[in-house]
Amino acid sequence: MENESPNENLRGLFQLLTRRFGLLNKTCCSAEGVDVSLVQSHIIYEINRQHNPSIQQIAETLNTDITTFSRQIQSLIKMNLVTKTPLKEDRRISILSLTEEGKSVNNSIDQQMNDYLQEVFSGMNDFEKETVIRSLKLLNDRMVKSSVCCTAPWE
């Protein structure tokens, strides 16, 4: 390990980070007594972030196939977290919104993540925090510009 170059164990570093964020867990979050998967958490977040998004818009944002995505939406509707309303001008398009319970779950997940990150960053000085944040922004920007962006590199 001492003789490894900084790039030799990047995969291991990303895998460890993934595990520490709990991204491999079946349930990523428990909020308001509701267990939410990582995918469902992303959907809830995007519905909240975007203004009256359609199913297609959220599926594209998350780079998810529409069939798989539709099953997730149905699951969130059954959990009373999301509503789906046909667009008046074109009933083939459905608009997604969070129910009051969905908003509450989203706020709870936000608070949990913010508390967790605040704890993580509390052990860093301002320079270290700024360096991590700047590096994450740079990494995200480079990933978007990658030729294999938004898919696993081995697909």
Side-chain angles (χ1 to χ4, degrees), residues 66-133:
I66 195 73
T67 306
T68 304
F69 185 76
S70 292
R71 284 192 295 268
Q72 290 292 338
I73 293 298
Q74 288 308 316
S75 175
L76 289 167
I77 290 170
K78 286 179 187 171
M79 295 166 73
N80 194 37
L81 301 178
V82 171
T83 59
K84 180 174 83 169
T85 309
L87 190 64
K88 289 176 186 168
E89 300 81 25
D90 185 348
R91 299 189 63 77
R92 295 171 297 171
I93 298 173
S94 292
I95 301 301
L96 299 174
S97 58
L98 296 179
T99 62
E100 287 305 313
E101 190 175 349
K103 290 174 187 174
S104 182
V105 165
N106 182 65
N107 292 340
S108 180
I109 293 169
D110 266 357
Q111 187 61 53
Q112 290 173 42
M113 285 304 299
N114 289 334
D115 291 348
Y116 174 65
L117 292 170
Q118 186 173 356
E119 181 185 338
V120 169
F121 282 118
S122 71
M124 297 180 195
N125 63 39
D126 288 343
F127 175 76
E128 290 169 330
K129 276 191 261 191
E130 187 178 308
T131 300
V132 169
I133 292 167

Side-chain angles (χ1 to χ4, degrees), residues 11-77:
R11 178 180 178 199
L13 184 60
F14 277 98
Q15 289 188 335
L16 183 60
L17 189 64
T18 298
R19 286 195 302 272
R20 289 204 171 131
F21 259 111
L23 300 180
L24 300 178
N25 300 348
K26 182 178 179 186
T27 301
C28 84
C29 320
S30 201
E32 306 296 315
V34 178
D35 290 335
V36 179
S37 73
L38 180 63
V39 171
Q40 290 169 335
S41 172
H42 280 275
I43 293 169
I44 291 168
Y45 174 83
E46 288 300 331
I47 291 172
N48 187 66
R49 188 180 71 80
Q50 298 184 31
H51 181 68
N52 294 327
S54 69
I55 287 181
Q56 188 66 36
Q57 285 172 303
I58 300 292
E60 287 174 9
T61 297
L62 298 176
N63 197 34
T64 306
D65 128 8
I66 195 73
T67 306
T68 304
F69 185 76
S70 292
R71 284 192 295 268
Q72 290 292 338
I73 293 298
Q74 288 308 316
S75 175
L76 289 167
I77 290 170

